Amino acid sequence: MGRLEGKNVLITGAAHGIGRATLELFAREGARLVACDLDREGLEAASQATGAIPVAMDVADPASVERGFAEALKALGRLDGVVHYAGITRDNFHWKMPLEDWELVLKVNLTGSFLVAKAASEAMRERNPGSIVLTASRVYLGNLGQANYSASKAGVVGLTRTLALELGRYGIRVNALAPGFIETRMTEKVPEKVREKAIAATPLGRTGKPLEVAYAALFLVSDESSFITGQVLFVDGGRTIGAAPA
């Protein structure tokens, strides 16, 4: 019997990378799935490979999020878990960063997390307990050239902790993943010197794989983590050792 047998789960950013790996893992573990993404072609491929229900969703658009969750509830009847990965980067030193890039990253990463978490809460609150997993990043502790991304992910940590306080009475758990350097389409663009520096700063001496983050999400959605809420789980090969998380 799978670890998610009988659970209905919605995953954003499901077409590629960590989201796709999570979708595939959750399917193997018995979950009924709704896959959400803006990339319709990638979403269709991911859904066909896993049996998930594809739902196009722009997490930064309140109407799109509302429609997406309505479709998910219509198809599945209820949601036991929501895993939110969708996010973007627009890197630059802050003095070179256009205001549009600052605002866009905050809108997608932080406001998007709020909109998805709010919709997840509305789907579960007063109906059934569940687990919401948001995505922060080890970068919330600070990183050169990522003022917007770092600020957005620090906001996700604060959001996670606050929602855990507000939703605990309903049996809804809220936690966040904080991946380190994971091999995805987003990190493919990172210059080789930056990659080498990241690996050198990681005690395990390598980059991470999407499936390694997916297994952390599996734990947080499963009943195995039933007394865990308001936490940030680092999946970073030990890179944050010596840096005190807030």
Side-chain angles (χ1 to χ4, degrees), residues 60-218:
D61 178 0
S64 179
V65 173
E66 185 177 340
R67 284 194 303 270
F69 271 80
E71 288 185 44
L73 288 172
K74 183 178 179 180
L76 300 180
R78 73 174 194 282
L79 286 174
D80 304 295
V82 171
V83 184
H84 174 54
Y85 290 118
I88 63 169
T89 57
R90 293 291 186 276
D91 296 348
N92 218 329
F93 286 108
H94 74 275
W95 59 84
K96 298 180 180 178
M97 185 177 292
L99 180 59
E100 307 87 75
D101 285 355
W102 169 270
E103 292 177 337
L104 180 61
V105 169
L106 268 290
K107 181 179 180 181
V108 174
N109 294 357
L110 182 53
T111 301
S113 294
F114 168 75
L115 293 173
V116 169
K118 182 180 179 184
S121 165
E122 290 170 353
M124 298 174 187
R125 207 174 62 248
E126 310 288 5
R127 298 185 185 185
N128 58 276
S131 174
I132 300 171
V133 180
L134 303 179
T135 303
S137 167
R138 64 155 296 279
V139 171
Y140 92 83
L141 297 170
N143 200 43
L144 289 170
Q146 291 193 300
N148 48 6
Y149 190 73
S150 179
S152 72
K153 295 304 185 177
V156 170
V157 171
L159 177 66
T160 298
R161 293 168 63 89
T162 299
L163 295 184
L165 290 171
E166 295 179 349
L167 294 173
R169 72 189 71 179
Y170 301 100
I172 300 171
R173 299 181 295 109
V174 188
N175 293 288
L177 297 170
F181 198 111
I182 309 297
E183 293 292 347
T184 65
R185 293 198 311 173
M186 187 180 290
T187 58
E188 283 177 358
K189 303 173 185 177
V190 172
E192 190 58 32
K193 286 185 178 180
V194 176
R195 178 186 300 271
E196 291 173 358
K197 185 177 179 181
I199 292 173
T202 302
L204 289 183
R206 63 175 177 83
T207 58
K209 300 177 178 62
L211 185 59
E212 292 175 306
V213 182
Y215 270 111
L218 172 62

